[in-house]
Structures are given as C-alpha cells and as structure tokens.
Amino acid sequence: MKLARIIAPFSLSAVLFILSYVSLKDIGSGFYSILLMVIGVVLVVVGIAAIFSNK
C-alpha cells in the first residue's frame, strides 16, 4: 500500500504534464494548459511528501 501511495501522485502528475504539453500546442487553450501544469506540480509535491512521511 505504501508503494501505491508513492507511485500514484507521480503517475497522475506525469499524465497531467503530458496533457498540458499537448494542450500547449493549441494556441487557443490558454489557461487550461497552465492549470494542468499547476495541478501536476501540486501532485509532485504530494508525492514527495508521501515519500518522506512516516505513517
């Protein structure tokens, strides 16, 4: 279970980074791609916190 707690945020952030990259190709997407990138960064931070948590 601990492994899933570590892998899940990183895999979700990877998917969001890929989606934001694809949506950056479309000039009209604007705020949507930035929002995906911010959510991806937040998930990376959550993943790092899960690695260093003692629970």
Side-chain angles (χ1 to χ4, degrees), residues 8-24 32-44:
F10 289 116
S11 61
L12 286 174
S13 67
V15 169
L16 287 174
F17 284 137
I18 291 169
L19 285 175
S20 67
Y21 176 74
V22 169
S23 65
L24 276 174
Y32 180 70
S33 61
I34 296 171
L35 179 67
L36 287 175
M37 186 71 73
V38 168
I39 293 172
V41 170
V42 168
L43 285 174
V44 167

